Amino acid sequence: MGPADAETCVTAPCCCCRGSAWLCGTVQRGGGRLAPRRGQAALGTAELVAEQQQQPKQQKQKKQQQKQQGGGKKGEARAITPKSEDFSRWYLDVVRECQLADYGPVRGTMVIRPYGYAIWEGVQSHLDRAFKETGHQNAYFPQLIPLSFLQKEADHVEGFAPELALVTKGGGKELEEPLVVRPTSETIVNHMFAQWVQSYRDLPLLINQWANVHRWEMRTRPFVRTLEFLWQEGHTAHATAQEAEEETIRMLRVYEDFAVNVAAMPVVAGRKSRIESFAGANCTYTIEAMMGDRRALQARRRAPWGRQEGARLAGTSHNLGDNFARAFGTRYLDEGGQLQYVHQSSWGVSTRMVGGIIMTHGDDAGLRLPPRLAPTQVVIVPILKKDVDGEAVMAAVQRLEAALRGAGVRVQVDASTDRTPGWKFNQYEMKGVPVRVEVGPRDVEQGTCVTARRDVAGKEGKQFGVPLEPAAFVQHVTALLEDIQAALLRQARDFRDANIVDVASYEELQAAVAEGKWARGPWAGSDEQERQVKEETSATLRCFPFDQPQHSGTCFLTGQPATEVAIFSKAY
Amino acid sequence: MGPADAETCVTAPCCCCRGSAWLCGTVQRGGGRLAPRRGQAALGTAELVAEQQQQPKQQKQKKQQQKQQGGGKKGEARAITPKSEDFSRWYLDVVRECQLADYGPVRGTMVIRPYGYAIWEGVQSHLDRAFKETGHQNAYFPQLIPLSFLQKEADHVEGFAPELALVTKGGGKELEEPLVVRPTSETIVNHMFAQWVQSYRDLPLLINQWANVHRWEMRTRPFVRTLEFLWQEGHTAHATAQEAEEETIRMLRVYEDFAVNVAAMPVVAGRKSRIESFAGANCTYTIEAMMGDRRALQARRRAPWGRQEGARLAGTSHNLGDNFARAFGTRYLDEGGQLQYVHQSSWGVSTRMVGGIIMTHGDDAGLRLPPRLAPTQVVIVPILKKDVDGEAVMAAVQRLEAALRGAGVRVQVDASTDRTPGWKFNQYEMKGVPVRVEVGPRDVEQGTCVTARRDVAGKEGKQFGVPLEPAAFVQHVTALLEDIQAALLRQARDFRDANIVDVASYEELQAAVAEGKWARGPWAGSDEQERQVKEETSATLRCFPFDQPQHSGTCFLTGQPATEVAIFSKAY
């Protein structure tokens, strides 16, 4: 049996030294990392033993360091690059240090670790409920799709081939026809819909699927762009074009409601331009969110087999018209006995949303999670001292925990004895837990405790003298959670609004985009001119917002009359 | 654009004529199918139009037929082959007619339709809660695994190659190393565990994953054995062998509790024999259930890359010892600073469980779902008559619906006007809805309604004069649901117990197995003798039950002293 380091380099490039390096960052940058779990995969047995044996000494040094730095609070956050210094590295540091995800052994794949997965479960549970409330049912379609299904569409859309993973061998034999590992399911869904839909009585057909999908990409980033990702894909069929359009808008509004009221992301809902629309769609609608570096989180169109640069759905809804129905013969007999093509919609949200939440709310200290999504909404840290009997403190903590749990609050108690309270404070701050409760012996004597809110740093965010009496305590904490939820949304909205520039000329757009801001102005340019803007500025037309501001009516580029305002920006 | 039939034969063999034919059964058997959606994929446009136009006439004929048959109850169930006549065809009929699943276009794949998926969601929600209550966290590991990971184990276990699906092309290029489409995740999990586990403080590591897996099989059956299936796979790492053993048993007990108390399946929990154990495990524990044809639902061992005949987990828990840890270098530093291998468990339940539920409880009329799992626990059918104003009936129905929903009962109202009440009764009976509520104008006048329980046929299962008053109504229905839950378990347990034969000789075992029963007797045979029994009788050693009955202490085959009783039977 080889040492541990021999185990991690099976696949080249190895997951711990592949350069782009959100896993190896710390190793390269050396010391200063005090977060609880280390990316030590590159160390051999001897080093492991040596490092472990040094721990007591290191802990002592660390303690001294903490003391010097006022409880060590700042000293412990060093593992995360400041956001303002390098946003991209800050993001990768947060993902790694908060144990949200790790690289998988195959380049571009991601292991979603429990804390990251718990955020995704929050997204799932909210959306799944909303889908069911709007009449949708979950189903599951096979992942392997005959390549010929995609080739059927070759006349209509660009080839998806550059991004496909192909199964060519199964059961020890070469397959007669290669199978595509699902990049999206329009083709197989329509293959089945064509069998299930016979009559107008079978419509509407409202289906959703939670699944994994693969798109072969080279430039990846955890959650934002990975070779494999998790998502939901809604697929519906309707009797009329109008019903399909209504459904497309309805589901975009479901996404908007989730983004704003659950994820606290102040998205802009709108329509995509023609060249940014899903290639198989008549029209694509989108929710666009501004990240902490002012880029838009791209929710751009994606032909299921288009040649466009890879992109992940953060929240788009497509009116497919009867395009797929015509390709797959998805027809029904109407009340008059005539065969008609169905009209369809499809819509999706993926694990990219987790990346969006990180990049919308995070700060220099790490994650900040909106309470409605946070896996842990409240952490209770008992302050136990060596010489003082902790029984009264623990009894109080257990009463508070039970009271919160009874009120439906997701609460965690960290009573571990191998870490100091200061270490724990930093840890849960980094992990974005909205509310921390501290209970020490003196607090218990006074019948009170201390709460600290994650969104307001330092003493300002603390409240002393919070009553231990369960009803009053629960009321205080739940109000605090609601307040934090609202504050995160408000902050993100203020940030967004402060970074949207109304432009009246191309020069103004160029200046705004160069500053990293969103540019908003009346637009009547052609597809070609839209592409030109992208080439010259790297900014894409994000959307024509549903809520149109007042405007001059003159296209900022062409000077022609414009009926609509569009938003341009750089995007993920 | 070709007609509908041209769309369904893209992949050979086509999904509607591949012979094994649970989709085509009805077409082959011709008329008599009155269930709402038809497997008409093989019909062309002209036929579709013709059939649609005939419907009014057909409906009239059907009505007459129904009248002749006393409301048409039995007439409508003809689409399902009687269970006693052909259990296998009965099963396929139920899966098709209840719209639980369809074939996918690739041979052996399955589309899980909304009603089937809703049952799986029930399984998921119960198990997921139980996993979390026992301290496990969900995560997600990449589906594509380097082939070399599996090859690492070549010295220790048999090759999995005959069942693997391999991705050899990605992003338009031939891959340097083929990637395996996950058949199970032990290898990639250990690749990550080896990085995550450093010290005894990192243990235990308690992870679960909900995912899809692929195993290339030729002889498939919906839910029971499919090329792709959905499952959960638990993977844990512990500091000591004893903790791993405790975890293995704990999770088997979680499965047992779910099977008995939620799925109403009276399973036998026990230990697998050496040759039936998971090849990478020190010991495999299993829950074994008797299906309606008295076969065991196989929850047998499966080497992740073993050569054994393909099998699907219905509920097994493996103590892996340090076998995988040694292969992948998954080690930790103990409190004394020594490197130690972790001890592991893995455990899984798959969509096979849905097949088990169908085969345990179903009867000639179709599905019978245990209330705790039924997607719809109660269906309310208003009896609306043409000449009578339905307003009072609908108002009463809505009050009942609201009352049940308020009590957490999953209730559905079918007020559609294009089907007769009789048709609906048959439909929900076939779909296994535990309780039906009928409300007609006369009922409303009398302030009562009628309930019918799915598990007791005909008038015996009906209760007249159930009060419409919400509190009393809810109490009646919830008591009925509990009663049905208990009755299904009792019936299944009685059936099982009546079909276990205590054997004292090989001849008695052969006779019992020939009758399709389970044979139970003291066993002290060798591995070779166990294989011999299998070859000669097709019965396998299902398990050594934890609850051992009193026995003679003499092996029924060898006459040698035996300390344990084993169960033998044929299995799925």
Side-chain angles (χ1 to χ4, degrees), chain A residues 52, chain B residues 199-201 332-338 340:
Chain A
Q52 179 76 6
Chain B
S199 130
Y200 65 92
R201 292 193 202 90
Y332 70 98
L333 283 167
D334 67 17
E335 295 190 53
Q338 297 298 309
Q340 305 280 0

Side-chain angles (χ1 to χ4, degrees), chain A residues 299-488:
Chain A
R300 65 183 274 205
R301 70 91 167 66
R302 174 76 247 203
W305 37 73
R307 280 207 199 90
Q308 298 81 352
E309 192 193 327
R312 297 287 164 265
L313 299 178
T316 45
S317 187
H318 313 294
N319 182 337
L320 304 174
D322 58 8
N323 305 335
F324 286 88
R326 285 180 184 275
F328 283 84
T330 314
R331 286 182 290 185
Y332 71 98
L333 283 166
D334 67 16
E335 294 191 52
Q338 298 298 308
L339 267 179
Q340 306 280 1
Y341 288 110
V342 299
H343 299 261
Q344 295 183 275
S345 82
S346 71
W347 26 275
V349 155
S350 75
T351 36
R352 178 165 240 244
M353 181 62 85
V354 177
I357 292 160
I358 301 167
M359 290 194 285
T360 298
H361 302 299
D363 66 11
D364 283 355
L367 271 181
R368 296 197 309 170
L369 291 175
R372 289 185 193 154
L373 266 187
T376 299
Q377 297 173 309
V378 177
V379 61
I380 306 180
V381 179
I383 316 289
L384 303 169
K385 303 202 171 165
K386 270 193 178 163
D387 316 325
V388 183
D389 182 12
E391 210 171 300
V393 169
M394 284 313 298
V397 163
Q398 279 155 16
R399 279 196 301 275
L400 297 183
E401 181 191 14
L404 287 177
R405 214 176 286 281
V409 175
R410 296 187 287 276
V411 57
Q412 180 189 338
V413 171
D414 187 345
S416 59
T417 52
D418 56 345
R419 300 295 186 184
T420 64
W423 187 94
K424 293 178 189 174
F425 294 177
N426 293 347
Q427 177 68 7
Y428 295 105
E429 187 174 276
M430 182 180 78
K431 290 196 140 187
V433 175
V435 172
R436 180 180 77 236
V437 179
E438 308 166 12
V439 187
R442 208 173 304 164
D443 297 309
V444 174
E445 278 172 29
Q446 296 171 353
T448 64
C449 63
V450 179
T451 60
R453 52 191 289 173
R454 172 64 180 87
D455 62 325
V456 181
K459 277 204 172 168
E460 262 181 84
K462 282 200 166 193
Q463 186 156 345
F464 298 88
V466 175
L468 286 181
E469 189 276 312
F473 172 75
V474 166
Q475 197 185 7
H476 168 78
V477 169
T478 50
L480 198 51
L481 289 170
E482 280 307 305
D483 204 42
I484 295 168
Q485 180 79 28
L488 288 181

